[in-house]
Amino acid sequence: MKLGIVGLPNVGKSTLFNSLTKAGAESANYPFCTIDPNVGVVAVPDERLKLLGDFSHSKKVTPATIEFVDIAGLVKGASKGEGLGNQFLANIRECDAIVHVVRCFEDDNIIHVDGAVDPVRDIETINLELLFADLEVLDRRIAKTAKSAKSGADKNAKREYDILQKIHAWLEEGNMCISLQLDDEDDDRFRKSLDLLTDKPVIYAANVSDEDLADDGASNAFVSSVREIAKEQNAEVFVVSAAIEQEIAELDDEEKAEFLADLGVEKSGLDKLIAASYRLLGLMSYLTTGEDETRAWTIPVGCKAPKAAGKIHTDFERGFIKAEVINYKQLLDAGSYPAARDKGLVRMEGKEYIVQDGDVITFRFNV
């Protein structure tokens, strides 16, 4: 999973990126990986892995990972070359979802680029830049497709031209592409292949002061306005304090838990963001465990057993025979695989089995 973090200057975007990547790396004992100065790979915290790793005396425990990209240069007019111009566009296009950091706190020492805190305006500013950038892409694509579409020689070109025109009109009205409903599956597949910025799922990170963390921003009017926008867009929202995340990034797991408890907060920003991203993208994890390795594998919700097996290796999917399945908690409670089998808790599932979150699976295959 790859998430692009965007936001106007001075909203806490880079502070959040730096603290999330550092905290995620340390809390899960996973080496922080700097691919380039603005990209970090973070382990997905998952307590099930440690429990299963201890259960199997595994030599190695491998968590699922998320790649965060700190998208720089996003200011008003960016699509026309302001700030760092279009440099940010390629980075966002490669991401599965956008994490939009929105300032929801007052602080006279931190100047807002537009003079005053207004999350609704800030969201509109960035959404407009994404819209303008997408319209330019569509204009070029329409011009390229128009000739063959009008000649009638290529029926596929005509269909694509019509879809492009429909999307263009939708965006010109100020709508995000992701909210456009296309009835035909092939049309929708073509729409997704365009990889438009406004077709990316969005998670809003409402950056608040530490005083607003305990009630999850319920008493913060700025957060309420962000939640209203998210509701209209079917987006996710999580409340975070980038300043607090920066503080807890230096702490170990026990100290972090105590610090958050003192603030009246149950989960860190990283935990909230990961939960929101899994919900938004419709993802979950199944597990494999053994003496060599215990590992989490991220798959779409509703994934069938052969496709899940292919996540490990294409041969597993190609030669799939059966999946030996047990819920991780049932396995731990049983104390051992033989005991779990004796209790009838281990099931043999076929090609139509839909994998569930927390399944521990051993695949049987032949190629």
Side-chain angles (χ1 to χ4, degrees):
M1 194 193 321
K2 191 172 185 177
L3 303 178
I5 303 181
V6 304
L8 292 172
N10 294 336
V11 298
K13 176 176 65 72
S14 292
T15 301
L16 185 62
F17 168 80
N18 292 332
S19 53
L20 288 181
T21 49
K22 187 177 177 66
E26 292 188 349
S27 66
N29 196 28
Y30 187 83
F32 175 66
C33 172
T34 303
I35 298 170
D36 62 43
N38 68 328
V39 179
V41 176
V42 174
V44 174
D46 191 338
E47 62 181 10
R48 300 173 301 188
L49 286 175
K50 184 182 184 310
L51 296 171
L52 284 171
D54 292 343
F55 172 86
S56 298
H57 306 291
S58 302
K59 295 172 186 172
K60 183 167 69 168
V61 174
T62 307
T65 59
I66 292 181
E67 189 173 315
F68 288 107
V69 185
D70 185 16
I71 310 288
L74 206 51
V75 295
K76 191 171 184 178
S79 61
K80 301 297 181 186
E82 295 296 325
L84 294 180
N86 288 341
Q87 182 179 323
F88 72 90
L89 296 180
N91 287 334
I92 301 179
R93 289 197 196 285
E94 294 170 3
C95 295
D96 298 305
I98 294 171
V99 180
H100 187 161
V101 183
V102 187
R103 179 169 166 175
C104 295
F105 66 91
E106 299 274 13
D107 189 335
D108 293 338
N109 296 316
I110 303 174
I111 298 169
H112 192 286
V113 68
D114 286 325
V117 178
D118 185 345
V120 174
R121 179 202 57 218
D122 293 354
I123 288 170
E124 286 177 353
T125 296
I126 285 186
N127 284 351
L128 275 174
E129 295 309 314
L130 301 182
L131 276 168
F132 291 148
D134 280 351
L135 285 168
E136 283 187 21
V137 169
L138 290 169
D139 284 337
R140 290 196 297 270
R141 189 71 181 258
I142 288 169
K144 185 179 176 182
T145 313
K147 189 175 180 180
S148 52
K150 287 174 182 175
S151 71
D154 185 348
K155 289 183 180 179
N156 203 45
K158 175 70 169 69
R159 183 182 65 84
E160 290 183 1
Y161 180 81
D162 290 343
I163 300 168
L164 289 167
Q165 291 281 23
K166 186 181 289 187
I167 297 171
H168 194 283
W170 183 254
L171 264 58
E172 277 197 319
E173 291 174 4
N175 302 305
M176 307 298 275
C177 182
I178 197 168
S179 63
L180 176 62
Q181 299 292 323
L182 295 175
D183 296 330
D184 188 274
E185 282 187 23
D186 289 336
D187 290 356
D188 204 44
R189 202 172 293 117
F190 172 69
R191 191 270 297 275
K192 286 182 169 57
S193 74
L194 297 171
D195 215 16
L196 297 174
L197 303 177
T198 58
D199 208 15
K200 303 282 184 190
V202 176
I203 303 166
Y204 289 105
N207 188 15
V208 302
S209 61
D210 55 358
E211 292 89 355
D212 287 328
L213 270 183
D215 69 352
D216 202 35
S219 56
N220 184 313
F222 295 138
V223 173
S224 298
S225 63
V226 174
R227 284 183 167 135
E228 282 299 313
I229 291 172
K231 190 176 178 182
E232 292 170 9
Q233 298 177 355
N234 289 320
E236 286 278 345
V237 183
F238 75 102
V239 174
V240 64
S241 168
I244 293 297
E245 292 300 314
Q246 193 171 32
E247 288 188 51
I248 66 175
E250 306 294 335
L251 306 177
D252 62 30
D253 285 350
E254 192 173 327
E255 291 172 326
K256 187 186 298 183
E258 288 177 9
F259 188 95
L260 292 173
D262 289 342
L263 289 172
V265 179
E266 290 184 10
K267 294 182 178 179
S268 70
L270 178 63
D271 291 335
K272 290 180 183 177
L273 174 52
I274 288 172
S277 59
Y278 269 62
R279 282 195 304 271
L280 187 69
L281 296 172
L283 299 174
M284 64 177 203
S285 295
Y286 76 89
L287 312 158
T288 55
T289 189
E291 193 173 319
D292 287 335
E293 183 182 35
T294 290
R295 184 163 182 164
W297 303 89
T298 302
I299 57 171
V301 172
C303 185
K304 291 185 178 179
K307 187 64 72 176
K311 185 78 175 177
I312 300 174
H313 198 286
T314 52
D315 283 352
F316 282 34
E317 181 177 3
R318 190 159 53 93
F320 178 89
I321 300 173
K322 291 284 183 183
E324 191 178 87
V325 183
I326 181 172
N327 176 270
Y328 86 98
K329 196 169 186 314
Q330 289 180 320
L331 179 59
L332 294 172
D333 289 344
S336 69
Y337 259 110
R341 287 192 182 94
D342 288 345
K343 292 179 180 179
L345 299 173
V346 181
R347 314 182 310 277
M348 297 302 295
E349 301 286 0
K351 291 182 178 181
E352 295 304 309
Y353 176 68
I354 296 174
V355 177
Q356 302 298 306
D357 187 54
D359 277 351
V360 179
I361 306 180
T362 303
F363 293 105
R364 296 186 182 180
F365 69 103
N366 181 42
V367 290

